[in-house]
Amino acid sequence: MDEMHLTGMGANETVEKQKNRGRGERSPHDSKAFREANRLALDLTYTFEAPGEGSIARKDVEALIDPILKAKGMLERGEGDIRDGGLVMTGWQEKPERIEPAHLRDIRSATEALSREIDAFVSIGIGGSYLGIESTVRALTHTHFNQLSREERGGAPEIYFLGQNMDPDYFRDTLDMLRHKRVGLNVISKSGTTTETAIAFRILQQLLEDSLGEEQAARRILVTTDRNRGALRELADRKGYRSFVVPDDIGGRFSVLSDVGLVGLAMANIDIEAFVAGFRNMQEVCASDDFWKNPSLVHAAVRHAAWNKGKKVEVVAANALALFYVARWMEQLFPESEGHKGHGMWVSPSLYSEKLHANGQMVQQGERNILETFLLLAEHDNRVEIPREETNLDGLNFLPDSGVDMNLVNRKVVEGPAYAHYLGGVPNMTLEVPRRNAYNLGQVYYMMEKSVAVSGYLFGHNPFVQPGVEAYKQAMFALIGKPGFEDKAAKMEENLSKMERIRIHA
Ligand code: PA5
């Protein structure tokens, strides 16, 4: 016997959940008991009166209650600076209650049909047309999903992401993983003109057409884009691709609960009905005008009070990879919405313990410009016992002797830093997520969307536009010589010619 066996470890519960989902098992999200067991909790034990300069007091948050309730009312009535290109961009607010079960069934039947024909699925998109899908898929599936057997994946194909960067090595490496496989894809872009998405799609489309012919390739391609406009809409109509819609009144980073997110999640066999139910529940919770019972408002208030006190960085630290991906999603949602007119907090997604051995030093003793938000996963899918060891050279036998397993240690990975960082002058709050499921992710996403929308009102700017992102897109167009951008390219060259080019050769 020379290979390793997982003696005494039992079955991997994440894999069991995947298999159950593959057998059509759905979570009992309608039951009261399920909802009770899956309530999020926002803990402010270490938020107020941290020692040192720039602490937040409870009264600082209370002073924001009136403006926040006013902002909430305006948001709900569709008032204020909430338009993009003339369109009101708050459709995500009522989206949870607007999604029809029949629409979810349609998505499922389309993805199941495609799934039967393919081995690997590629989701192509960037920003809001990418991150919500990746975060949710990674949060709810096995860490090494693509390396599992199809049965262990619950019948889902392998899942890949392209178009979110322009790294040719990453791109080529991913193509290697697709070689000799039956590949399907979904290209997602609201505008239909985003360079990275368009390039990735063009390559995949051609490879598919070269391999299968145009007609067969068309059966493997899904398009998610604007209902009426844009290059992708035209292409989908011309080629007869099955298409899904990016709603007019919902921007990319708010769109995970729309076809943008739902199609990719259904491909990975995620329980999209439970996902919607989580959004719906949090929509109800966040409708409350009782400030202290509305976590999105409290979250917005703490962040704003912290910003007023000079906190410019929000470390969003998770004790589970599942929630680290959610932190990455927050890294997009908040800065792209808040980073206007010199406002906003830099969001730094961190996985603890890993980052405690790096940025942890900075959080404890560096510049006191940090707010910390912990995402604490209370119950993991699996339980990992720590074994006793005869020699006890590492002195850790006390752990198994007192019934402490890895799960309990991993909770302390948040509780320990929360206490220590508070004493070091870093106010922090903890969002406790009871367990890894689609319902809870839906709840977290809605809470954060509402929080950042309110934050926009507090800052006095529109959180639903992203002119800064557009600026980079335009500069890229000019640099890569896109027709129509000649003037911009000439201006850029002129500006560059006046600048001192500093380059140090080593
Ligand atoms: O939130 C946003 O609006 C952005 O992150 C967009 O989603 C991103 O820029 C991609 O845009 P598009 O869907 O038009 O390709």
Side-chain angles (χ1 to χ4, degrees), residues 126-129 188-192 194 197 251-253 332 336 466 469 473:
I126 193 167
S129 293
I188 311 164
S189 177
K190 187 170 189 176
S191 61
T194 305
T197 307
R253 56 197 172 277
Q332 186 198 8
E336 203 176 2
Q466 51 289 323
V469 176
K473 285 185 180 176

Side-chain angles (χ1 to χ4, degrees), residues 10-30:
N12 183 328
E13 286 306 318
T14 308
V15 172
E16 295 309 301
K17 280 161 82 175
Q18 286 170 185
K19 287 186 187 166
N20 289 340
R21 290 201 294 265
R23 286 190 277 267
E25 205 174 278
R26 299 284 168 247
S27 82
H29 54 79
D30 284 338

Side-chain angles (χ1 to χ4, degrees), residues 325-370:
Y325 286 106
V326 173
R328 266 172 48 87
W329 176 84
M330 287 168 64
E331 182 190 22
Q332 186 198 8
L333 180 72
F334 283 89
E336 203 176 2
S337 308
E338 278 184 342
H340 300 250
K341 299 182 182 166
H343 302 142
M345 251 193 250
W346 183 265
V347 171
S348 169
S350 301
L351 175 65
Y352 283 2
S353 298
E354 187 181 315
K355 277 284 170 69
L356 288 170
H357 295 255
N359 299 0
Q361 173 61 33
M362 176 75 97
V363 178
Q364 190 70 44
Q365 292 186 329
E367 190 178 347
R368 303 298 69 195
N369 59 353
I370 298 171

Side-chain angles (χ1 to χ4, degrees), residues 77-123:
R77 290 189 300 275
E79 295 167 7
D81 195 3
I82 52 170
R83 286 169 190 269
D84 188 8
L87 292 172
V88 168
M89 296 307 290
T90 52
W92 52 273
Q93 274 196 107
E94 297 85 31
K95 186 72 180 166
E97 70 199 24
R98 283 209 218 122
I99 293 190
E100 298 288 343
H103 185 59
L104 297 180
R105 284 198 294 277
D106 270 0
I107 290 179
R108 268 210 185 285
S109 83
T111 53
E112 278 166 14
L114 180 60
S115 182
R116 280 192 290 275
E117 291 187 20
I118 61 174
D119 306 308
F121 173 76
V122 187
S123 186

